mmCIF file of all heavy atoms in Angstrom:
data_model
loop_
_atom_site.group_PDB
_atom_site.id
_atom_site.type_symbol
_atom_site.label_atom_id
_atom_site.label_comp_id
_atom_site.label_asym_id
_atom_site.label_seq_id
_atom_site.Cartn_x
_atom_site.Cartn_y
_atom_site.Cartn_z
ATOM 1 N N SER R 96 0.816 -1.226 0.000
ATOM 2 C CA SER R 96 0.000 0.000 0.000
ATOM 3 C C SER R 96 0.844 1.268 0.000
ATOM 4 O O SER R 96 0.343 2.350 -0.340
ATOM 5 C CB SER R 96 -0.929 -0.004 1.220
ATOM 6 O OG SER R 96 -0.182 -0.104 2.428
ATOM 7 N N ASN R 97 2.116 1.155 0.391
ATOM 8 C CA ASN R 97 3.018 2.312 0.384
ATOM 9 C C ASN R 97 3.819 2.435 -0.911
ATOM 10 O O ASN R 97 4.691 3.300 -1.031
ATOM 11 C CB ASN R 97 3.988 2.233 1.570
ATOM 12 C CG ASN R 97 3.281 2.308 2.909
ATOM 13 O OD1 ASN R 97 2.333 3.087 3.069
ATOM 14 N ND2 ASN R 97 3.716 1.495 3.854
ATOM 15 N N GLY R 98 3.546 1.544 -1.849
ATOM 16 C CA GLY R 98 4.252 1.594 -3.112
ATOM 17 C C GLY R 98 5.587 0.887 -3.127
ATOM 18 O O GLY R 98 6.330 0.984 -4.103
ATOM 19 N N ASN R 99 5.889 0.165 -2.047
ATOM 20 C CA ASN R 99 7.159 -0.555 -1.976
ATOM 21 C C ASN R 99 7.001 -1.961 -2.567
ATOM 22 O O ASN R 99 5.972 -2.612 -2.365
ATOM 23 C CB ASN R 99 7.629 -0.669 -0.525
ATOM 24 C CG ASN R 99 7.874 0.682 0.103
ATOM 25 O OD1 ASN R 99 8.475 1.557 -0.507
ATOM 26 N ND2 ASN R 99 7.398 0.866 1.336
ATOM 27 N N PRO R 100 8.006 -2.444 -3.290
ATOM 28 C CA PRO R 100 7.912 -3.793 -3.868
ATOM 29 C C PRO R 100 7.759 -4.851 -2.780
ATOM 30 O O PRO R 100 8.387 -4.769 -1.721
ATOM 31 C CB PRO R 100 9.242 -3.951 -4.616
ATOM 32 C CG PRO R 100 9.727 -2.567 -4.851
ATOM 33 C CD PRO R 100 9.249 -1.755 -3.674
ATOM 34 N N ILE R 101 6.920 -5.845 -3.032
ATOM 35 C CA ILE R 101 6.756 -6.974 -2.123
ATOM 36 C C ILE R 101 7.772 -8.040 -2.522
ATOM 37 O O ILE R 101 7.701 -8.615 -3.624
ATOM 38 C CB ILE R 101 5.332 -7.532 -2.176
ATOM 39 C CG1 ILE R 101 4.337 -6.484 -1.657
ATOM 40 C CG2 ILE R 101 5.219 -8.818 -1.358
ATOM 41 C CD1 ILE R 101 2.894 -6.917 -1.731
ATOM 42 N N VAL R 102 8.730 -8.282 -1.642
ATOM 43 C CA VAL R 102 9.844 -9.187 -1.935
ATOM 44 C C VAL R 102 9.868 -10.305 -0.898
ATOM 45 O O VAL R 102 9.712 -10.061 0.303
ATOM 46 C CB VAL R 102 11.182 -8.427 -1.934
ATOM 47 C CG1 VAL R 102 12.332 -9.384 -2.224
ATOM 48 C CG2 VAL R 102 11.166 -7.296 -2.967
ATOM 49 N N PHE R 103 10.071 -11.519 -1.353
ATOM 50 C CA PHE R 103 10.202 -12.676 -0.469
ATOM 51 C C PHE R 103 11.667 -13.099 -0.402
ATOM 52 O O PHE R 103 12.373 -13.085 -1.414
ATOM 53 C CB PHE R 103 9.370 -13.859 -0.975
ATOM 54 C CG PHE R 103 7.892 -13.642 -0.933
ATOM 55 C CD1 PHE R 103 7.241 -13.071 -2.015
ATOM 56 C CD2 PHE R 103 7.155 -14.000 0.176
ATOM 57 C CE1 PHE R 103 5.876 -12.874 -1.996
ATOM 58 C CE2 PHE R 103 5.784 -13.804 0.215
ATOM 59 C CZ PHE R 103 5.145 -13.238 -0.874
ATOM 60 N N ALA R 104 12.108 -13.470 0.786
ATOM 61 C CA ALA R 104 13.424 -14.096 0.911
ATOM 62 C C ALA R 104 13.328 -15.545 0.446
ATOM 63 O O ALA R 104 12.259 -16.158 0.485
ATOM 64 C CB ALA R 104 13.906 -14.033 2.356
ATOM 65 N N VAL R 105 14.435 -16.097 0.001
ATOM 66 C CA VAL R 105 14.504 -17.502 -0.391
ATOM 67 C C VAL R 105 15.093 -18.298 0.761
ATOM 68 O O VAL R 105 16.169 -17.964 1.266
ATOM 69 C CB VAL R 105 15.371 -17.680 -1.654
ATOM 70 C CG1 VAL R 105 15.649 -19.161 -1.907
ATOM 71 C CG2 VAL R 105 14.682 -17.069 -2.853
ATOM 72 N N ARG R 106 14.395 -19.333 1.181
ATOM 73 C CA ARG R 106 14.952 -20.247 2.173
ATOM 74 C C ARG R 106 15.808 -21.276 1.440
ATOM 75 O O ARG R 106 15.285 -22.130 0.722
ATOM 76 C CB ARG R 106 13.842 -20.955 2.958
ATOM 77 C CG ARG R 106 14.381 -21.868 4.059
ATOM 78 C CD ARG R 106 13.321 -22.842 4.529
ATOM 79 N NE ARG R 106 13.745 -23.541 5.743
ATOM 80 C CZ ARG R 106 13.301 -24.741 6.104
ATOM 81 N NH1 ARG R 106 12.428 -25.381 5.352
ATOM 82 N NH2 ARG R 106 13.716 -25.307 7.213
ATOM 83 N N GLN R 107 17.102 -21.179 1.616
ATOM 84 C CA GLN R 107 18.017 -22.110 0.965
ATOM 85 C C GLN R 107 18.366 -23.244 1.917
ATOM 86 O O GLN R 107 18.742 -23.012 3.073
ATOM 87 C CB GLN R 107 19.295 -21.394 0.531
ATOM 88 C CG GLN R 107 20.332 -22.319 -0.084
ATOM 89 C CD GLN R 107 21.530 -21.559 -0.610
ATOM 90 O OE1 GLN R 107 21.434 -20.736 -1.500
ATOM 91 N NE2 GLN R 107 22.698 -21.841 -0.036
ATOM 92 N N LEU R 108 18.242 -24.464 1.424
ATOM 93 C CA LEU R 108 18.643 -25.651 2.176
ATOM 94 C C LEU R 108 19.601 -26.457 1.315
ATOM 95 O O LEU R 108 19.272 -26.832 0.180
ATOM 96 C CB LEU R 108 17.429 -26.518 2.539
ATOM 97 C CG LEU R 108 16.597 -26.100 3.751
ATOM 98 C CD1 LEU R 108 15.358 -26.964 3.851
ATOM 99 C CD2 LEU R 108 17.415 -26.213 5.032
ATOM 100 N N ASP R 109 20.798 -26.693 1.833
ATOM 101 C CA ASP R 109 21.747 -27.538 1.135
ATOM 102 C C ASP R 109 22.641 -28.227 2.149
ATOM 103 O O ASP R 109 22.465 -28.056 3.364
ATOM 104 C CB ASP R 109 22.557 -26.744 0.105
ATOM 105 C CG ASP R 109 23.331 -25.586 0.728
ATOM 106 O OD1 ASP R 109 23.414 -25.516 1.965
ATOM 107 O OD2 ASP R 109 23.860 -24.747 -0.022
ATOM 108 N N GLU R 110 23.600 -29.015 1.669
ATOM 109 C CA GLU R 110 24.377 -29.868 2.564
ATOM 110 C C GLU R 110 25.858 -29.895 2.196
ATOM 111 O O GLU R 110 26.232 -29.754 1.024
ATOM 112 C CB GLU R 110 23.835 -31.306 2.511
ATOM 113 C CG GLU R 110 22.398 -31.432 2.969
ATOM 114 C CD GLU R 110 21.780 -32.778 2.637
ATOM 115 O OE1 GLU R 110 22.473 -33.618 2.024
ATOM 116 O OE2 GLU R 110 20.605 -32.977 2.970
ATOM 117 N N LEU R 111 26.674 -30.101 3.206
ATOM 118 C CA LEU R 111 28.095 -30.372 3.058
ATOM 119 C C LEU R 111 28.375 -31.717 3.717
ATOM 120 O O LEU R 111 27.638 -32.150 4.607
ATOM 121 C CB LEU R 111 28.939 -29.295 3.741
ATOM 122 C CG LEU R 111 28.744 -27.841 3.306
ATOM 123 C CD1 LEU R 111 29.487 -26.923 4.277
ATOM 124 C CD2 LEU R 111 29.235 -27.631 1.891
ATOM 125 N N ASN R 112 29.456 -32.378 3.300
ATOM 126 C CA ASN R 112 29.859 -33.585 4.027
ATOM 127 C C ASN R 112 31.360 -33.766 3.919
ATOM 128 O O ASN R 112 32.006 -33.275 2.983
ATOM 129 C CB ASN R 112 29.112 -34.825 3.521
ATOM 130 C CG ASN R 112 29.470 -35.184 2.103
ATOM 131 O OD1 ASN R 112 30.542 -35.713 1.845
ATOM 132 N ND2 ASN R 112 28.581 -34.884 1.164
ATOM 133 N N MET R 113 31.913 -34.451 4.899
ATOM 134 C CA MET R 113 33.342 -34.756 4.899
ATOM 135 C C MET R 113 33.574 -36.058 5.655
ATOM 136 O O MET R 113 32.780 -36.449 6.528
ATOM 137 C CB MET R 113 34.155 -33.619 5.543
ATOM 138 C CG MET R 113 33.911 -33.434 7.034
ATOM 139 S SD MET R 113 34.859 -32.054 7.739
ATOM 140 C CE MET R 113 36.537 -32.558 7.418
ATOM 141 N N GLN R 114 34.631 -36.764 5.297
ATOM 142 C CA GLN R 114 34.972 -38.024 5.942
ATOM 143 C C GLN R 114 35.837 -37.769 7.177
ATOM 144 O O GLN R 114 36.760 -36.950 7.137
ATOM 145 C CB GLN R 114 35.715 -38.937 4.975
ATOM 146 C CG GLN R 114 34.903 -39.378 3.781
ATOM 147 C CD GLN R 114 33.694 -40.192 4.167
ATOM 148 O OE1 GLN R 114 33.777 -41.111 4.992
ATOM 149 N NE2 GLN R 114 32.559 -39.869 3.589
ATOM 150 N N LEU R 115 35.527 -38.461 8.261
ATOM 151 C CA LEU R 115 36.334 -38.412 9.480
ATOM 152 C C LEU R 115 37.013 -39.770 9.632
ATOM 153 O O LEU R 115 36.345 -40.799 9.734
ATOM 154 C CB LEU R 115 35.459 -38.128 10.702
ATOM 155 C CG LEU R 115 34.621 -36.849 10.654
ATOM 156 C CD1 LEU R 115 33.767 -36.737 11.910
ATOM 157 C CD2 LEU R 115 35.503 -35.630 10.511
ATOM 158 N N VAL R 116 38.319 -39.763 9.635
ATOM 159 C CA VAL R 116 39.079 -41.020 9.676
ATOM 160 C C VAL R 116 39.882 -41.077 10.958
ATOM 161 O O VAL R 116 40.712 -40.204 11.227
ATOM 162 C CB VAL R 116 40.013 -41.137 8.459
ATOM 163 C CG1 VAL R 116 40.783 -42.450 8.501
ATOM 164 C CG2 VAL R 116 39.212 -41.022 7.169
ATOM 165 N N GLY R 117 39.635 -42.114 11.771
ATOM 166 C CA GLY R 117 40.410 -42.323 12.987
ATOM 167 C C GLY R 117 40.182 -41.249 14.030
ATOM 168 O O GLY R 117 39.188 -40.533 14.026
ATOM 169 N N ALA R 118 41.135 -41.144 14.955
ATOM 170 C CA ALA R 118 41.010 -40.208 16.067
ATOM 171 C C ALA R 118 41.420 -38.804 15.629
ATOM 172 O O ALA R 118 42.411 -38.620 14.934
ATOM 173 C CB ALA R 118 41.873 -40.655 17.234
ATOM 174 N N ASN R 119 40.672 -37.824 16.041
ATOM 175 C CA ASN R 119 40.974 -36.429 15.715
ATOM 176 C C ASN R 119 40.222 -35.562 16.704
ATOM 177 O O ASN R 119 39.006 -35.658 16.817
ATOM 178 C CB ASN R 119 40.534 -36.111 14.288
ATOM 179 C CG ASN R 119 40.966 -34.723 13.847
ATOM 180 O OD1 ASN R 119 41.325 -33.878 14.660
ATOM 181 N ND2 ASN R 119 40.926 -34.478 12.554
ATOM 182 N N ASN R 120 40.931 -34.711 17.424
ATOM 183 C CA ASN R 120 40.254 -33.904 18.425
ATOM 184 C C ASN R 120 40.046 -32.460 17.974
ATOM 185 O O ASN R 120 39.731 -31.598 18.781
ATOM 186 C CB ASN R 120 41.021 -33.926 19.761
ATOM 187 C CG ASN R 120 42.379 -33.242 19.641
ATOM 188 O OD1 ASN R 120 42.826 -32.887 18.559
ATOM 189 N ND2 ASN R 120 43.029 -33.078 20.781
ATOM 190 N N GLN R 121 40.248 -32.191 16.678
ATOM 191 C CA GLN R 121 39.971 -30.845 16.192
ATOM 192 C C GLN R 121 39.711 -30.886 14.683
ATOM 193 O O GLN R 121 40.597 -30.653 13.869
ATOM 194 C CB GLN R 121 41.119 -29.883 16.481
ATOM 195 C CG GLN R 121 40.778 -28.429 16.190
ATOM 196 C CD GLN R 121 39.670 -27.898 17.089
ATOM 197 O OE1 GLN R 121 39.879 -27.460 18.197
ATOM 198 N NE2 GLN R 121 38.444 -27.963 16.587
ATOM 199 N N THR R 122 38.476 -31.222 14.322
ATOM 200 C CA THR R 122 38.080 -31.219 12.916
ATOM 201 C C THR R 122 37.490 -29.856 12.574
ATOM 202 O O THR R 122 36.647 -29.335 13.302
ATOM 203 C CB THR R 122 37.039 -32.321 12.647
ATOM 204 O OG1 THR R 122 37.652 -33.595 12.847
ATOM 205 C CG2 THR R 122 36.504 -32.240 11.225
ATOM 206 N N THR R 123 37.944 -29.291 11.455
ATOM 207 C CA THR R 123 37.467 -27.977 11.024
ATOM 208 C C THR R 123 36.791 -28.096 9.669
ATOM 209 O O THR R 123 37.327 -28.719 8.755
ATOM 210 C CB THR R 123 38.636 -26.973 10.926
ATOM 211 O OG1 THR R 123 39.274 -26.868 12.201
ATOM 212 C CG2 THR R 123 38.127 -25.599 10.512
ATOM 213 N N LEU R 124 35.608 -27.504 9.549
ATOM 214 C CA LEU R 124 34.856 -27.524 8.298
ATOM 215 C C LEU R 124 34.422 -26.098 7.965
ATOM 216 O O LEU R 124 33.829 -25.410 8.799
ATOM 217 C CB LEU R 124 33.621 -28.425 8.430
ATOM 218 C CG LEU R 124 32.664 -28.460 7.231
ATOM 219 C CD1 LEU R 124 33.352 -29.082 6.017
ATOM 220 C CD2 LEU R 124 31.393 -29.219 7.570
ATOM 221 N N ASP R 125 34.739 -25.639 6.759
ATOM 222 C CA ASP R 125 34.244 -24.344 6.288
ATOM 223 C C ASP R 125 32.757 -24.481 5.986
ATOM 224 O O ASP R 125 32.364 -25.096 4.992
ATOM 225 C CB ASP R 125 34.994 -23.908 5.030
ATOM 226 C CG ASP R 125 36.311 -23.207 5.342
ATOM 227 O OD1 ASP R 125 36.568 -22.958 6.525
ATOM 228 O OD2 ASP R 125 37.075 -22.929 4.413
ATOM 229 N N VAL R 126 31.933 -23.900 6.855
ATOM 230 C CA VAL R 126 30.487 -23.979 6.683
ATOM 231 C C VAL R 126 30.022 -23.038 5.573
ATOM 232 O O VAL R 126 29.091 -23.342 4.825
ATOM 233 C CB VAL R 126 29.773 -23.648 8.014
ATOM 234 C CG1 VAL R 126 28.271 -23.596 7.827
ATOM 235 C CG2 VAL R 126 30.130 -24.695 9.060
ATOM 236 N N ASP R 127 30.670 -21.878 5.444
ATOM 237 C CA ASP R 127 30.316 -20.943 4.388
ATOM 238 C C ASP R 127 31.534 -20.091 4.042
ATOM 239 O O ASP R 127 32.250 -19.630 4.938
ATOM 240 C CB ASP R 127 29.154 -20.039 4.813
ATOM 241 C CG ASP R 127 28.626 -19.220 3.646
ATOM 242 O OD1 ASP R 127 29.155 -18.136 3.373
ATOM 243 O OD2 ASP R 127 27.672 -19.687 3.004
ATOM 244 N N GLN R 128 31.750 -19.901 2.776
ATOM 245 C CA GLN R 128 32.900 -19.130 2.313
ATOM 246 C C GLN R 128 32.463 -17.730 1.888
ATOM 247 O O GLN R 128 32.668 -17.310 0.753
ATOM 248 C CB GLN R 128 33.599 -19.865 1.171
ATOM 249 C CG GLN R 128 34.178 -21.201 1.597
ATOM 250 C CD GLN R 128 34.896 -21.924 0.476
ATOM 251 O OE1 GLN R 128 34.619 -21.707 -0.691
ATOM 252 N NE2 GLN R 128 35.845 -22.785 0.832
ATOM 253 N N ARG R 129 31.822 -17.044 2.816
ATOM 254 C CA ARG R 129 31.372 -15.659 2.631
ATOM 255 C C ARG R 129 30.569 -15.471 1.343
ATOM 256 O O ARG R 129 30.860 -14.625 0.504
ATOM 257 C CB ARG R 129 32.577 -14.715 2.673
ATOM 258 C CG ARG R 129 33.183 -14.608 4.063
ATOM 259 C CD ARG R 129 34.466 -13.817 4.066
ATOM 260 N NE ARG R 129 35.573 -14.631 3.571
ATOM 261 C CZ ARG R 129 36.830 -14.210 3.488
ATOM 262 N NH1 ARG R 129 37.123 -12.982 3.853
ATOM 263 N NH2 ARG R 129 37.781 -14.993 3.048
ATOM 264 N N THR R 130 29.534 -16.301 1.201
ATOM 265 C CA THR R 130 28.720 -16.277 -0.012
ATOM 266 C C THR R 130 27.652 -15.195 0.020
ATOM 267 O O THR R 130 26.956 -14.997 -0.968
ATOM 268 C CB THR R 130 28.040 -17.634 -0.232
ATOM 269 O OG1 THR R 130 27.252 -17.963 0.928
ATOM 270 C CG2 THR R 130 29.071 -18.722 -0.458
ATOM 271 N N GLY R 131 27.459 -14.523 1.150
ATOM 272 C CA GLY R 131 26.481 -13.455 1.216
ATOM 273 C C GLY R 131 25.093 -13.888 1.633
ATOM 274 O O GLY R 131 24.123 -13.144 1.459
ATOM 275 N N VAL R 132 24.959 -15.098 2.204
ATOM 276 C CA VAL R 132 23.667 -15.537 2.716
ATOM 277 C C VAL R 132 23.542 -15.129 4.189
ATOM 278 O O VAL R 132 24.524 -14.753 4.827
ATOM 279 C CB VAL R 132 23.497 -17.069 2.594
ATOM 280 C CG1 VAL R 132 23.631 -17.511 1.154
ATOM 281 C CG2 VAL R 132 24.497 -17.804 3.469
ATOM 282 N N ASN R 133 22.334 -15.222 4.706
ATOM 283 C CA ASN R 133 22.099 -14.995 6.132
ATOM 284 C C ASN R 133 21.868 -16.366 6.763
ATOM 285 O O ASN R 133 20.794 -16.956 6.600
ATOM 286 C CB ASN R 133 20.888 -14.078 6.351
ATOM 287 C CG ASN R 133 20.721 -13.683 7.796
ATOM 288 O OD1 ASN R 133 21.688 -13.606 8.552
ATOM 289 N ND2 ASN R 133 19.494 -13.419 8.208
ATOM 290 N N MET R 134 22.892 -16.904 7.435
ATOM 291 C CA MET R 134 22.825 -18.255 7.980
ATOM 292 C C MET R 134 21.873 -18.300 9.169
ATOM 293 O O MET R 134 21.989 -17.511 10.102
ATOM 294 C CB MET R 134 24.221 -18.714 8.403
ATOM 295 C CG MET R 134 24.332 -20.198 8.668
ATOM 296 S SD MET R 134 24.177 -21.202 7.180
ATOM 297 C CE MET R 134 25.625 -20.701 6.252
ATOM 298 N N LEU R 135 20.909 -19.246 9.125
ATOM 299 C CA LEU R 135 19.894 -19.341 10.173
ATOM 300 C C LEU R 135 20.110 -20.526 11.106
ATOM 301 O O LEU R 135 19.950 -20.405 12.313
ATOM 302 C CB LEU R 135 18.494 -19.445 9.548
ATOM 303 C CG LEU R 135 18.070 -18.330 8.607
ATOM 304 C CD1 LEU R 135 16.643 -18.560 8.146
ATOM 305 C CD2 LEU R 135 18.214 -16.964 9.249
ATOM 306 N N SER R 136 20.434 -21.684 10.561
ATOM 307 C CA SER R 136 20.587 -22.868 11.408
ATOM 308 C C SER R 136 21.460 -23.890 10.709
ATOM 309 O O SER R 136 21.634 -23.864 9.481
ATOM 310 C CB SER R 136 19.228 -23.486 11.757
ATOM 311 O OG SER R 136 18.646 -24.095 10.615
#
């Protein structure tokens, strides 16, 4: 009603995976490489 465009956000769902082999007490995974999304969960 104010003349502003009605815009919907896109809910993006995707997956990453990596193999864990043997004992390791510090596994690091890049969850996002600064792609410009708003991470929710």
